[in-house]
Amino acid sequence: MKRILILGKQSRLAVAIYVMLTRETDWKVYFDLDSLDSEKVTDTGQYYPIVYEKKDLRKVVMEYDPDYIVNCLSFDVPEIAEVDKKFAWDYNVGNIEAISKAAMMTDSKLLMFSTDNIYSGINGPYGEDHLPEPVNYYGKTKLGSENHCISNNVPFISVRLPEYYGGTGSNAFNIYYKLINNIEQNLAVNCFTTPVYIDDAALAVLKIILKDKFGFYNLGGPDYVSEYEYGVKLADVLGFEKESIKPYTYSNSKNECRKLIRGGLINIKSETDLNMKFVNLHSGLSSVKFLENLKF
């Protein structure tokens, strides 16, 4: 029986994976460490996750002695990463350094999450064979995490994700999260992505573990839409007001975090290797709406 340790309890992704694994398998699945266990808050109300001591991270892993470590401890706010580079690097790369060392000591496999921000965003969507060329510091930290595992011969899987939707938990940068919490956001009409349903991402994790895969897997939904089109679609299907969504045309400024013009990820390898069929945006959002209605 497999033993799976998921790190990052408040992450939407962690919750979805936990639900998927406990529903579909008889594995021992454990949750530990809180992705938002912090009292530090920015001027905009954004919580900083706590940077755990490396020895504490290693201790947690060694106590559970898992077959797989699924790391959902991640700092995913590109705008803050751009101005607080040390924090972003310490969190995204430092955590992986500690967790990967513990994985080697316990003979565990490490599954972590990356992003389409490791690419240039000029000619997306991107497959696994495209060379990384991050244009913002957040992307550099995620690429740094992958490179650490490669250079240290860590048995790892990196699941690269674009914008995702659905689930319960927290991800304050996520467009879906902001919409359902009625947080005003400016969405670009000229920046494109491939939104993926969070349950598809969780299912991919399950299949990666079942098939004992290694390396890189890019996940992305079949729709290629602008940020603004995506936000409007979210509001239309889920029944939210659109007043909180403001369209604008992105033009890079030296004073802001660079965005991907043509981002997003190609899922052909995942569909082939993992026998996946990713749901389109309308079907995925309809499932989200149905599940939300069951709560009331």
Side-chain angles (χ1 to χ4, degrees):
M1 180 183 296
K2 285 183 169 55
R3 296 167 58 86
I4 314 296
L5 172 60
I6 303 173
L7 300 177
K9 292 187 288 188
Q10 286 197 36
S11 160
R12 305 182 78 84
L13 194 55
V15 174
I17 294 167
Y18 180 85
V19 170
M20 180 66 68
L21 298 187
T22 54
R23 185 183 68 203
E24 300 295 332
T25 75
D26 61 352
W27 301 341
K28 295 287 187 182
V29 185
Y30 306 100
F31 245 160
D32 211 321
L33 303 182
D34 191 335
S35 58
L36 292 179
D37 186 9
S38 174
E39 295 181 354
K40 186 176 180 181
V41 185
T42 69
D43 293 339
T44 59
Q46 168 68 45
Y47 281 86
Y48 273 58
I50 188 171
V51 179
Y52 291 98
E53 295 288 339
K54 291 185 178 182
K55 63 180 180 180
D56 293 333
L57 285 168
R58 292 195 295 268
K59 181 180 178 182
V60 167
V61 172
M62 295 180 73
E63 284 178 352
Y64 286 100
D65 190 24
D67 298 299
Y68 277 86
I69 305 161
V70 179
N71 181 48
C72 296
L73 293 170
S74 182
F75 187 63
D76 298 334
V77 190
E79 291 87 351
I80 298 179
E82 207 64 34
V83 298
D84 199 342
K85 292 180 170 65
K86 183 180 186 305
F87 177 84
W89 188 269
D90 288 346
Y91 200 90
N92 286 339
V93 183
N95 280 353
I96 290 299
E97 290 174 349
I99 295 167
S100 64
K101 184 172 182 178
M104 299 282 278
M105 295 170 70
T106 56
D107 196 27
S108 308
K109 299 177 181 70
L110 172 61
L111 191 152
M112 60 188 185
F113 294 93
S114 188
T115 170
D116 57 350
N117 281 262
I118 67 168
Y119 299 108
S120 67
I122 297 172
N123 56 352
Y126 295 90
E128 292 82 358
D129 57 342
H130 283 85
L131 291 178
E133 189 181 355
V135 295
N136 57 46
Y137 198 76
Y138 166 60
K140 290 178 181 179
T141 67
K142 288 299 188 176
L143 182 59
S145 300
E146 295 180 349
N147 287 340
H148 169 81
C149 292
I150 293 170
S151 62
N152 289 276
N153 296 315
V154 177
F156 81 103
I157 310 97
S158 182
V159 178
R160 295 165 175 165
L161 294 172
E163 179 78 22
Y164 59 85
Y165 59 93
T168 59
S170 183
N171 183 340
F173 174 71
N174 189 275
I175 294 172
Y176 170 83
Y177 176 89
K178 287 184 176 180
L179 179 68
I180 64 176
N181 286 281
N182 198 33
I183 299 171
E184 186 170 307
Q185 54 187 320
N186 298 318
L187 299 181
V189 298
N190 60 332
C191 293
F192 294 83
T193 186
T194 52
V196 65
Y197 184 27
I198 198 169
D199 281 11
D200 278 350
L203 179 59
V205 169
L206 169 61
K207 292 194 173 189
I208 285 169
I209 296 173
L210 280 172
K211 294 175 178 288
D212 197 25
K213 296 293 186 178
F214 290 91
F216 305 98
Y217 282 89
N218 288 6
L219 307 186
D223 299 88
Y224 199 49
V225 293
S226 72
E227 282 186 354
Y228 181 69
E229 290 172 326
Y230 171 55
V232 170
K233 185 73 170 180
L234 285 171
D236 283 342
V237 177
L238 299 180
F240 289 100
E241 297 295 331
K242 300 186 185 71
E243 281 74 11
S244 65
I245 302 171
K246 310 296 182 185
Y248 80 104
T249 300
Y250 169 72
S251 178
N252 180 55
S253 165
K254 291 182 179 180
N255 298 322
E256 65 180 3
C257 174
R258 290 188 65 181
K259 296 169 68 71
L260 307 186
I261 300 296
R262 299 194 69 83
L265 299 170
I266 298 170
N267 59 29
I268 293 175
K269 179 183 176 182
S270 297
E271 287 190 329
T272 304
D273 279 14
L274 306 177
N275 193 27
M276 292 282 298
K277 182 65 176 177
F278 292 85
V279 301
N280 61 43
L281 186 55
H282 185 83
S283 296
L285 289 173
S286 296
S287 296
V288 171
K289 184 176 183 180
F290 174 73
L291 292 172
E292 287 296 315
N293 289 340
L294 288 180
K295 296 178 182 178
F296 301 99

